[in-house]
Amino acid sequence: SPEKAMVCFGSMFIELPKAKTREMLRQDQEELDEEINKLRKELRVKVNRLYEAQGKPELKGFNLNPMSAEEMKLINRILEG
């Protein structure tokens, strides 16, 4: 039906209301984004410790942050003219 969506959970498909499905996906994406950012921060610390243990200088530019989707849209608008 137009108000429902099929969602795959493991090996099962379940029909749920589209609004509920959209909210679940948004919430999952937020949790994934938080986990990704946490892992990026931890990785930076670990890489710096590794380089320090090896007696190498700290990596230049390694502490840069990725651009957000909104920032990317603005850059694309500027490049398109």
Side-chain angles (χ1 to χ4, degrees):
S1 74
E3 292 99 30
K4 297 212 174 196
M6 296 294 289
V7 182
C8 181
F9 288 104
S11 60
M12 296 185 316
F13 280 91
I14 300 173
E15 195 171 25
L16 294 172
K18 281 188 178 181
K20 176 71 173 169
T21 303
R22 188 176 293 117
E23 179 60 25
M24 287 171 46
L25 290 172
R26 186 195 58 75
Q27 207 170 21
D28 284 350
Q29 189 62 50
E30 285 178 5
E31 289 174 14
L32 289 171
D33 288 342
E34 287 175 17
E35 182 68 19
I36 288 169
N37 289 331
K38 177 182 162 205
L39 291 171
R40 281 184 179 141
K41 288 176 186 175
E42 291 174 2
L43 179 62
R44 289 179 183 137
V45 171
K46 289 177 182 178
V47 168
N48 283 334
R49 268 195 256 141
L50 176 64
Y51 268 67
E52 185 180 312
Q54 293 174 342
K56 294 181 181 178
E58 186 176 314
L59 286 175
K60 301 275 189 234
F62 192 65
N63 290 322
L64 298 175
N65 292 319
M67 291 184 356
S68 69
E70 187 174 316
E71 292 170 326
M72 283 300 298
K73 285 178 188 175
L74 292 172
I75 294 292
N76 287 331
R77 283 187 200 155
I78 291 170
L79 293 175
E80 290 173 357

